[in-house]
Amino acid sequence: MSDTTSYDAANESDGWHIEAVLGPEYSEPVRTVDAVVDVVVDRRHTSRLVQDLQRLCPIPSLRHLKRVCPDGRILIQLATDSPGHEGSDSEKNSSRTSKCSPSPQECKNKRSFSETVTDSDSGPQDGPTSSEQLYSTSKSVLLDEQKNERALPRGLDASGLRGRPERCAVPASPPLTRAQFTHAQRLWSCNFHPSRAVEAALAPGAGVHGARRAALLAALRACYRTSAKSAAAAVHPHDGSLVALAVDARDEHPLQHAAMRLVDLVARTQCGGVWTPLPKEEIKESVSNACGKDSLPYLCTGLDVVMTHEPCAMCAMALTHARARCVFFSEDNSNCGVLYSLSPPLQTLPGLNHRLQVFHAYLPEGKR
């Protein structure tokens, strides 16, 4: 509550909005997969059933789910692993995840969900649909009576089970946010290990408050005061001090974007750098005076980078290689920006050995 209050007060004073730029997996709806479930009617058999199922049909892809729900439902196996599942080999080997609405082919093989299937999803139905075909309360579908025995794995002692397996949509992957966890819990009990960094990024103000927020916005204003085409600054996150400020110099050289010059200026504070500082640029000389290179960090390690514009691919990868901690930018770059305008953003792509935290700081229309 205190964080929210401080954020609101800060917004009233400076008017800036700060939002974290996260990957699409943090905002997309919970994906589901069909599983075969039953109900434990005799709780004395619960422990044995769980152990037997873990041995006979483990489900590595659903380790985030609890095997038994508080209401007594027990997870038997994936529906595509069930001996009673009818489908081609290519269907079984294809991706098992789907959105909450079943595909048209799935709708032919099982009864429809009353709350999740629409006409556009399932197409025209053959013949009337009776109320007995809908299992809307639990959003699950009873398997055919002739397939009940085949839906259970061979060798399983079914004592204590209701004996009427059913299909049920369960979360296909672990929830990443509390909102996803709340949605997933409605489908099936699951484990959730919240990330403090992600939850802070999703909160109002993206977790940037107090002195850090003031230092970052001060650096951003300093960048705009240069009146350059674009500018970038490196800020120490602990005391908010300015390490370096660089401006765009592509008129002199096509590679001298503001971010590229900033990395060079930071390298100069560590007894490196190859480009001559420009009159509008600033550099912290105190670091370069002590050339004990063993004690110096690697380029932008641990520093926050503030930019007037969203960086292009070259600048973003330079900041990634320089090990910058965070990148704050004000204006998006729809032509060549890659940290916000690209979908998915560059910092969320797999294979990177360092990931930038990216924030978009902007003023509402008419206030800049």
Side-chain angles (χ1 to χ4, degrees), residues 321-334:
H321 174 75
R323 296 299 188 268
R325 187 178 74 153
C326 301
V327 174
F328 292 80
F329 71 92
S330 177
E331 300 179 38
D332 62 285
N333 184 353
S334 58

Side-chain angles (χ1 to χ4, degrees), residues 56 122 172:
L56 295 172
S122 59

Side-chain angles (χ1 to χ4, degrees), residues 72 76 85 118 122 176-177 223 254 260 265 267-268 275 280 288 312 318 320 324 339 361:
I76 304 297
H85 173 69
T118 61
S122 59
L176 301 177
T177 66
C223 289
M260 301 295 289
L265 289 180
R268 184 172 290 275
W275 290 330
K280 291 183 178 181
S288 60
C312 64
T320 300
L339 298 184

Side-chain angles (χ1 to χ4, degrees), residues 79-282:
T80 49
D81 292 338
S82 170
H85 173 69
E86 295 179 359
S88 63
D89 292 338
S90 60
E91 179 186 350
K92 294 179 182 179
N93 294 328
S94 63
S95 175
R96 292 170 177 170
T97 58
S98 63
K99 293 291 184 180
C100 291
S101 298
S103 67
Q105 182 63 36
E106 291 172 328
C107 291
K108 295 178 182 178
N109 297 332
K110 63 183 180 181
R111 300 179 178 91
S112 302
F113 296 155
S114 63
E115 295 185 14
T116 60
V117 179
T118 61
D119 291 340
S120 60
D121 290 326
S122 59
Q125 299 293 325
D126 296 332
T129 301
S130 66
S131 60
E132 294 179 356
Q133 290 178 297
L134 302 179
Y135 204 108
S136 59
T137 55
S138 63
K139 295 183 181 179
S140 59
V141 181
L142 289 175
L143 298 175
D144 294 337
E145 293 293 336
Q146 296 84 351
K147 298 179 183 177
N148 283 350
E149 293 183 0
R150 289 188 293 162
L152 297 177
R154 293 181 179 179
L156 177 67
D157 181 1
S159 301
L161 291 177
R162 181 182 61 181
R164 295 202 306 273
E166 57 189 37
R167 289 183 190 268
C168 180
V170 299
S173 57
L176 301 177
T177 66
R178 193 161 295 278
Q180 290 178 347
F181 172 64
T182 301
H183 185 191
Q185 281 287 90
R186 296 172 185 158
L187 301 174
W188 196 270
S189 295
C190 62
N191 301 310
F192 176 54
H193 305 285
S195 168
R196 294 180 61 182
V198 171
E199 294 302 322
L202 293 172
V208 183
H209 306 296
R212 186 187 181 202
R213 177 188 176 93
L216 292 171
L217 291 180
L220 184 59
R221 295 188 184 97
C223 289
Y224 274 111
R225 281 197 297 269
T226 64
S227 300
K229 187 182 303 181
S230 63
V235 178
H236 201 288
H238 298 301
D239 56 10
S241 60
L242 186 69
V243 177
L245 187 150
V247 297
D248 187 287
R250 277 176 284 180
D251 294 340
E252 299 183 8
H253 194 284
L255 295 182
Q256 293 191 17
H257 295 213
M260 301 295 289
R261 291 195 60 83
L262 178 67
V263 173
D264 186 77
L265 289 180
V266 173
R268 184 172 290 275
T269 68
Q270 301 167 6
C271 306
V274 295
W275 290 330
T276 303
L278 299 176
K280 291 183 178 181
E281 295 179 331
E282 301 179 26

